Amino acid sequence: MNQSLPRRRSKVLIVAWTMFLGGFVCVALMVAAFLYFRGQGDEVGPDRATTWQSDEVGVIVRPFDPDEDSPRLNECTVTPGSGEPRTGRWFWDALAHPDHTGTATITCEDAAVFVTGTGARVLAATGGLVVMIPLVVAGIGLLLLLAPFAPVRRHSIADKVIRRRAERRGYYADDLHRID
């Protein structure tokens, strides 16, 4: 099936716009969900504690303070209502499953935001490199949209050699049909 060039270009444009807009919308939704659920969390730090129920997963998220150089891990202490405090190192944006029963309090060495439940699952999914996938798709779509406007060197050395050989053999170089 031979399709005309304008029809193929229109299909490429449809795919390019779909990739660009779809990727952009996905990135925007992921960032909006991250910001929304991050706002639902409680601040924790050396002098701030919050409670953690044993039936919910949790996640710690970096604060928005640009001056703070926080390490890859944050040391947090979980103190169950009845039991010994446990100190552990947590990765930022990684889900943590409770190892206590009932209610516990949590404090961290570095300032952070602690989110539990569905918000924690959303933050763990959107806080890492997963957001790069729709961003790459949007970038590829943008490149496909901008490709027709890229400067093309029509008279490169290779094109001139091919054109001369074709003309010597009796073909037009543009559409390669026989000259009779």
Side-chain angles (χ1 to χ4, degrees):
M1 183 171 167
N2 193 4
Q3 292 182 340
S4 66
L5 189 59
R7 177 170 261 176
R8 276 188 257 154
R9 281 188 184 157
S10 66
K11 285 184 179 181
V12 169
L13 281 176
I14 290 171
V15 169
W17 274 111
T18 303
M19 288 175 70
F20 175 68
L21 292 176
F24 183 75
V25 167
C26 284
V27 168
L29 288 174
M30 291 173 90
V31 168
F34 180 84
L35 293 175
Y36 173 76
F37 285 112
R38 188 192 179 288
Q40 303 299 315
D42 298 322
E43 290 186 13
V44 294
D47 56 348
R48 290 188 186 136
T50 190
T51 59
W52 185 15
Q53 299 295 328
S54 63
D55 59 344
E56 297 178 331
V57 294
V59 68
I60 56 168
V61 184
R62 283 187 174 95
F64 283 133
D65 188 9
D67 297 333
E68 188 165 336
D69 294 327
S70 54
R72 290 183 54 199
L73 297 170
N74 194 354
E75 190 168 317
C76 296
T77 302
V78 178
T79 308
S82 60
E84 294 289 320
R86 293 183 205 109
T87 301
R89 305 196 108 209
W90 290 10
F91 283 101
W92 298 103
D93 303 327
L95 278 179
H97 297 279
D99 59 353
H100 61 274
T101 57
T103 303
T105 59
I106 180 171
T107 59
C108 293
E109 185 178 295
D110 296 316
V113 175
F114 183 70
V115 182
T116 58
T118 304
R121 294 184 191 281
V122 171
L123 287 175
T126 60
L129 293 176
V130 175
V131 76
M132 292 302 290
I133 295 169
L135 192 61
V136 167
V137 170
I140 291 171
L142 183 63
L143 286 176
L144 288 174
L145 286 173
L146 296 177
F149 303 110
V152 178
R153 295 184 60 198
R154 293 191 56 140
H155 301 290
S156 67
I157 296 171
D159 286 342
K160 289 178 183 178
V161 170
I162 292 170
R163 186 177 308 262
R164 285 184 194 140
R165 285 185 182 169
E167 288 173 353
R168 277 190 223 130
R169 292 188 177 117
Y171 291 96
Y172 284 116
D174 290 333
D175 53 4
L176 294 179
H177 67 274
R178 191 97 166 119
I179 303 171
D180 291 325

